[in-house]
Amino acid sequence: MHFLHQDDLGRLLLRLCVGGLILLHGIDKLMNPATISGIAQQLTSVGLPSFVAYGVLVGEIVAPLMTIVGWRARIGGLLMAINMIVALALVHTGQLWTLNSQGGWTLELQGMFLFGALAIMFLGSGRMAVRPD
């Protein structure tokens, strides 16, 4: 069963999946700039400067692109993880310990994004990348 030992292919699939799905959220924010304004208001309500809201574009556009192509994928994974931690802290804290109507964790999508990004950070890009790390 040697064909099952394809670590680099597994890393590529993880990068494409996590990076691609988070990138779609970033594209949506570019298409709907009011979303950034809403994030800025949330940040100022907790004492942070509003310009930090543009960091979401780094976490949801730049980092996923880095990850997808495999250029500094570990850094891309770190940036996406930071983005998800901020999102959890600002928006989803009240849902951390809740289940949805099907019995799953309410934040399963956010959790998959966070832990997938952490996996990329720790695993690196693998050989199927623009610049393997």
Side-chain angles (χ1 to χ4, degrees):
M1 294 250 219
H2 179 67
F3 70 94
L4 293 177
H5 297 277
Q6 301 294 325
D7 295 350
D8 291 315
L9 180 58
R11 287 181 178 117
L12 174 64
L13 291 173
L14 180 64
R15 289 185 1 245
L16 293 176
C17 179
V18 174
L21 292 173
I22 291 177
L23 179 62
L24 293 173
H25 287 268
I27 291 169
D28 181 66
K29 286 177 179 67
L30 282 178
M31 304 293 285
N32 300 296
T35 307
I36 299 293
S37 300
I39 294 168
Q41 290 174 351
Q42 289 174 317
L43 289 165
T44 56
S45 74
V46 296
L48 293 170
S50 61
F51 74 86
V52 174
Y54 291 99
V56 76
L57 298 177
V58 173
E60 293 185 5
I61 301 252
V62 176
L65 288 172
M66 291 168 63
T67 301
I68 289 167
V69 301
W71 180 78
R72 307 259 187 213
R74 291 179 192 269
I75 294 170
L78 173 64
L79 293 171
M80 289 186 294
I82 290 168
N83 188 71
M84 291 312 304
I85 290 168
V86 171
L88 287 167
L90 284 179
V91 181
H92 301 290
T93 305
Q95 299 170 307
L96 279 175
W97 309 112
T98 62
L99 300 177
N100 62 29
S101 61
Q102 293 83 36
W105 187 31
T106 304
L107 300 177
E108 57 193 19
L109 178 64
Q110 293 84 353
M112 288 295 290
F113 285 166
L114 172 60
F115 294 111
L118 289 172
I120 292 166
M121 183 184 79
F122 290 121
L123 291 170
S125 63
R127 288 182 294 158
M128 295 179 183
V130 168
R131 183 176 178 190
D133 58 2

